[in-house]
């Protein structure tokens, strides 16, 4: 039996960070297939709509100040699958067009460490319109080192001081996944925590995700008086931890803080940070904190220390908004590192309306309950929740069979609302490599509602993207027949019978059409 080997690291330099980086570089967009790495909670249409409202409010505030000539850069850190960017841009453009007011121009810049992701975004069909209109660009960005942004589409570089407008930063599931220090507060003193990683001897043969799962972590404290020195950049924060905490392990976001400081240098007028993560901004939630454990999901994540980020920039004049109630799944915050942050009224009101009053964390908690109760819900309740979630495709996929079972009792108005909802959902659908066929589910439901023209459109979309199956071809034949397209109906029947020669319904329809000739 192979013996396990143990290696000692400073926490921020541990081998699991390299494995994390390698995992994303190798997997590219495949990392998010079927939620292997979670993305729904921070990338669904509902959270995107909330972000779009805050960004729109920010553009309004700049317009009210007369700052309308220079472009506002919206920078997403770790844009991952790209779904959030798509939904935010779509909702933001809808708000802009609906309001019809003067706003400064804007561009959204998606960034990531993995070059594979940038190539995939550049070629994604859903993003092409935004690229053509100059609203979307891409850049490779390393949160640990980079000091500038090299934009792929416009072939320009943003260097320190180049931006005249404030930089708007979006960071979802970002601060929990980049290197952090781990310190221990005990007896009023600061210790650094070294991590002892135990792995099987043949661990070099494992894939990154396998190696991460097989790791065993243990910790040892090492006195680190350097944190307590006045010259240490975050001395005030450390002093607060010494005073208020005892027997506490603190994930200390030095990389996150320095990353924000470097990004702050890009603009002459500061930044606005919109962020969501598993992370605490309340000091009391770090009291008596146990050593962290890696949360595995293909890669891994930890807990973001929003308290540290809030405190450091608060000392420099920033205003932070976090919900007054406690979060359950994700903590959504907004940090104004701007001159006179209180004057950004529209942005702050948007946070109040779309995060504080009822926000993405509240919605996700409700969705977890609705998912379990879906089979007991009526059409009006389903339609209401679907609207609340921004006509999300995932909810439709879950509920399509139950919706179909309710159709016999549905009113004409309800069926028209289902049809309208399907089209809105489809217009805001961001395709990823998933196990389901959204066009097929939409087409079959429309078919069951006798909406043959609409069903034909979606079912044809499905067979063009996937291997055709007899049932779908038969449904297309029925749609064509009902629409008076007999030649198309015959063609679909023949295709169905090639795949399944004994398909009874198709044979019956063929006979009917042949006798009609």
């Amino acid at each position: 039996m192979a013996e396990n080997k143990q290696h000692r690291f400073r926490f921020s330099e541990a081998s699991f960070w390299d494995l994390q980086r390698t995992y994303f570089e190798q997997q590219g967009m495949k990392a998010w297939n079927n939620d292997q790495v979670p993305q729904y909670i921070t990338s669904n249409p509902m959270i995107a709509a909330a972000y779009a409202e805050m960004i729109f409010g920010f553009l309004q505030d700049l317009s009210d100040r007369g700052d309308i000539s220079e472009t506002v850069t919206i920078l997403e850190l770790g844009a991952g699958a790209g779904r959030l960017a798509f939904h935010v841009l779509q909702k933001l453009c809808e708000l802009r067009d609906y309001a019809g007011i003067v706003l400064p121009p804007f561009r959204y810049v998606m960034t990531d460490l993995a070059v594979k992701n940038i190539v995939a975004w550049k070629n994604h069909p859903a993003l092409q319109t935004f690229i053509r209109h100059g609203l979307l660009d891409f850049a490779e960005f390393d949160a640990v080192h980079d000091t500038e942004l090299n934009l792929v589409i416009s072939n320009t570089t943003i260097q320190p001081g180049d931006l005249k407008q404030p930089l708007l930063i979006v960071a979802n599931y970002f601060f929990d996944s980049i290197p952090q220090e781990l310190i221990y507060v005990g007896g009023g003193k600061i210790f650094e925590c070294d991590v002892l990683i135990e792995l099987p001897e043949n661990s070099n043969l494992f894939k990154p995700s396998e190696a991460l799962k097989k790791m065993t972590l243990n910790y040892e404290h090492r006195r680190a008086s350097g944190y307590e020195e006045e010259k240490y950049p975050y001395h005030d924060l450390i002093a607060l931890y010494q005073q208020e905490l005892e027997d506490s392990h603190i994930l200390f976001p030095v990389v996150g803080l320095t990353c924000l400081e470097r990004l702050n240098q890009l603009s002459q007028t500061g930044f606005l940070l919109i962020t969501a993560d598993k992370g605490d901004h309340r000091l009391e939630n770090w009291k008596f904190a146990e050593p962290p454990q890696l949360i595995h999901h293909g890669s891994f994540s930890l807990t973001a220390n929003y308290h540290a980020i809030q405190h450091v920039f608060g000392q420099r004049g920033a205003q932070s908004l976090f919900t007054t109630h406690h979060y359950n799944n994700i903590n959504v915050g907004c940090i104004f590192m701007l001159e006179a942050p209180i004057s950004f009224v529209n942005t702050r009101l948007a946070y109040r309306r779309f995060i504080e009053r009822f926000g993405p964390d509240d919605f996700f908690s409700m969705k977890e309950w609705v998912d379990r109760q879906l089979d007991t819900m009526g059409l009006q309740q389903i339609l209401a929740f679907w609207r609340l979630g921004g006509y999300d495709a995932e909810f439709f996929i879950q509920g399509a069979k139950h919706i179909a079972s309710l159709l016999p009792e549905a009113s004409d108005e309800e069926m028209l609302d289902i049809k309208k909802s399907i089209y809105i959902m489809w217009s805001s659908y961001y395709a990823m490599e998933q196990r389901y066929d959204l066009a097929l589910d939409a087409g079959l439901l429309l078919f069951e509602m006798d909406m043959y023209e609409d069903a034909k459109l979606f079912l044809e979309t499905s067979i063009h993207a996937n291997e055709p199956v007899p049932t779908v071809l038969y449904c297309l034949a029925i749609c064509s027949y009902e629409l008076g397209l007999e030649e198309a109906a015959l063609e679909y029947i023949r295709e169905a019978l090639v795949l399944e020669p004994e398909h009874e319904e198709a044979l019956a329809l063929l006979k009917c059409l042949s006798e009609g000739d």
Side-chain angles (χ1 to χ4, degrees):
M1 180 180 293
E3 291 185 1
N4 289 359
K5 287 189 174 181
Q6 192 174 77
H7 301 274
R8 184 187 190 104
F9 298 93
R10 181 179 182 178
F11 190 81
S12 62
E13 299 170 356
S15 57
F16 47 69
W17 298 113
D18 292 329
L19 288 169
Q20 172 105 310
R21 185 183 186 115
T22 302
Y23 172 81
F24 283 110
E25 288 176 340
Q26 290 180 353
Q27 292 292 309
M29 296 285 277
K30 294 184 185 302
W32 290 273
N33 285 4
N34 299 305
D35 262 0
Q36 180 178 345
V37 175
Q39 53 81 28
Y40 174 81
I41 189 172
T42 56
S43 300
N44 61 70
M46 195 275 178
I47 192 172
Y51 279 26
E53 292 282 358
M54 288 188 284
I55 295 169
F56 184 73
F58 187 65
L59 296 175
Q60 284 182 283
D61 287 327
L62 293 174
S63 180
D64 291 346
R65 297 157 71 102
D67 299 331
I68 57 173
S69 58
E70 296 290 335
T71 299
V72 176
T73 298
I74 305 163
L75 181 72
E76 185 181 352
L77 301 174
R83 188 180 176 199
L84 177 69
F86 168 72
H87 286 309
V88 168
L89 272 171
Q90 188 178 59
K91 299 297 183 186
L92 184 57
C93 289
E94 287 176 5
L95 288 169
R96 177 200 62 188
D97 296 343
Y98 185 84
I101 59 177
V102 177
L103 296 172
F106 58 86
R107 64 178 167 193
Y108 198 107
V109 179
M110 298 166 65
T111 72
D112 214 319
L113 190 63
V115 176
K116 282 184 179 180
N117 291 349
I118 297 172
V119 173
W121 302 334
K122 191 177 178 182
N123 296 313
H124 198 292
L127 300 177
Q128 299 309 304
T129 300
F130 301 124
I131 294 172
R132 284 197 303 272
H133 287 98
L135 296 174
L136 180 61
D137 215 320
F138 315 108
E140 183 182 356
F141 183 73
D142 185 341
V144 179
H145 304 294
D146 287 348
T147 59
E148 61 185 28
L149 296 168
N150 296 303
L151 305 186
V152 172
I153 302 298
S154 60
N155 195 30
T156 58
T157 299
I158 301 174
Q159 296 179 323
D162 281 353
L163 302 178
K164 295 181 180 178
Q165 294 276 35
L167 177 64
L168 199 158
I169 304 168
V170 175
N172 278 10
Y173 275 177
F174 176 75
F175 295 110
D176 70 341
S177 302
I178 59 175
Q180 304 180 53
E181 303 294 347
L182 180 61
I183 61 175
Y184 173 76
V185 184
K189 299 185 183 301
I190 302 295
F191 300 81
E192 199 153 43
C193 297
D194 288 340
V195 58
L196 282 69
I197 299 178
E198 193 173 289
L199 271 170
E201 189 172 6
N202 60 343
S203 60
N204 60 312
L205 302 177
F206 298 154
K207 294 179 180 179
S209 58
E210 295 171 340
L212 287 168
K213 283 186 178 179
K214 292 183 181 295
M215 283 183 171
T216 300
L217 307 185
N218 290 291
Y219 299 95
E220 290 185 0
H221 301 157
R222 170 173 45 82
R223 185 76 172 93
S225 58
Y227 285 90
E228 302 169 21
E229 296 177 3
E230 289 194 16
K231 65 180 181 181
Y232 182 66
Y234 311 114
H235 173 264
D236 289 347
L237 177 58
I238 292 295
L240 177 65
Y241 288 166
Q242 287 178 275
Q243 179 180 334
E244 298 293 333
L245 301 180
E246 179 60 35
D247 190 21
S248 302
H249 295 81
I250 308 297
L251 286 161
F252 200 71
V254 174
V255 169
L257 289 166
T258 56
C259 174
L260 290 174
E261 288 164 354
R262 280 182 274 114
L263 291 174
N264 189 37
Q265 295 300 310
L266 297 178
S267 171
Q268 301 173 19
T269 50
F271 68 79
L272 173 70
L273 170 65
I274 301 174
T275 181
D277 221 319
K278 305 184 306 295
D280 284 309
H281 64 280
R282 295 178 172 89
L283 181 60
E284 59 267 25
N285 289 339
W286 290 97
K287 290 183 177 180
F288 306 109
E290 295 291 329
Q293 295 297 319
L294 306 186
I295 302 169
H296 296 103
H297 34 62
S299 59
F300 73 89
S301 60
L302 295 162
T303 299
N305 187 346
Y306 277 142
H307 175 268
I309 297 172
Q310 174 183 250
H311 181 90
V312 167
F313 288 102
Q315 293 289 94
R316 303 174 189 180
Q319 180 185 12
S320 296
L321 298 178
F322 285 92
T323 59
T324 54
H325 56 270
H326 293 81
Y327 83 96
N328 184 33
N329 293 287
I330 51 166
N331 197 3
V332 182
C334 195
I335 297 179
F336 298 73
M337 188 60 207
L338 303 163
E339 183 179 354
I342 197 71
S343 67
F344 287 81
V345 176
N346 291 298
T347 316
R348 294 190 298 107
L349 283 173
Y351 183 91
R352 178 184 173 88
R353 293 172 183 142
F354 297 97
I355 306 296
E356 173 69 36
R357 180 176 176 272
F358 180 89
D361 186 51
D362 304 300
F363 171 75
F364 191 75
S365 294
M366 284 187 62
K367 185 179 182 302
E368 289 182 312
W369 181 85
V370 167
D371 288 346
R372 297 190 296 269
Q373 306 298 323
L374 188 56
D375 290 344
T376 69
M377 294 169 66
L379 272 180
Q380 283 301 314
Q381 290 74 41
I382 290 170
L383 287 167
F385 190 78
W386 199 8
R387 281 192 293 271
L388 179 65
Y391 300 96
D392 178 46
E394 181 170 309
F395 181 67
F396 174 76
I397 292 292
Q398 289 174 282
K401 287 184 179 179
H402 182 55
I403 294 172
S405 73
L406 298 173
L407 290 179
E409 304 299 323
S411 66
D412 291 343
E413 290 83 0
E414 287 172 330
M415 287 198 282
L416 286 172
D417 281 347
I418 293 171
K419 172 184 168 181
K420 176 186 175 184
S421 300
I422 287 173
Y423 275 97
I424 296 174
M425 171 189 69
W426 186 254
S427 70
S428 61
Y429 178 55
Y430 185 82
M432 296 172 60
E433 291 187 34
Q434 305 284 14
R435 287 186 289 262
Y436 54 75
D437 182 349
L438 182 64
L440 175 61
D441 283 359
L444 291 176
L445 190 62
L446 290 162
F447 179 81
E448 293 189 51
M449 292 191 291
D450 298 335
M451 296 178 175
Y452 298 113
E453 185 175 358
D454 304 289
K456 184 172 181 289
L457 174 66
F458 282 95
L459 293 176
E460 286 178 336
T461 300
S462 173
I463 64 168
H464 290 154
N466 303 282
E467 288 292 327
V469 295
T471 301
V472 177
L473 292 168
Y474 171 72
C475 289
L476 278 166
I478 293 290
C479 291
S480 300
Y481 175 75
E482 293 290 345
L483 294 169
L485 305 171
E486 292 191 4
E487 287 189 13
L490 280 168
E491 182 63 30
Y492 281 126
I493 291 172
R494 293 187 184 109
E495 288 184 47
L497 291 172
V498 168
L499 296 174
E500 189 179 334
E502 304 302 320
H503 194 292
E504 293 183 6
E505 292 87 350
L507 288 168
L509 183 57
L510 178 62
K511 181 180 179 182
C512 176
L513 287 170
S514 300
E515 290 174 351
D517 291 340

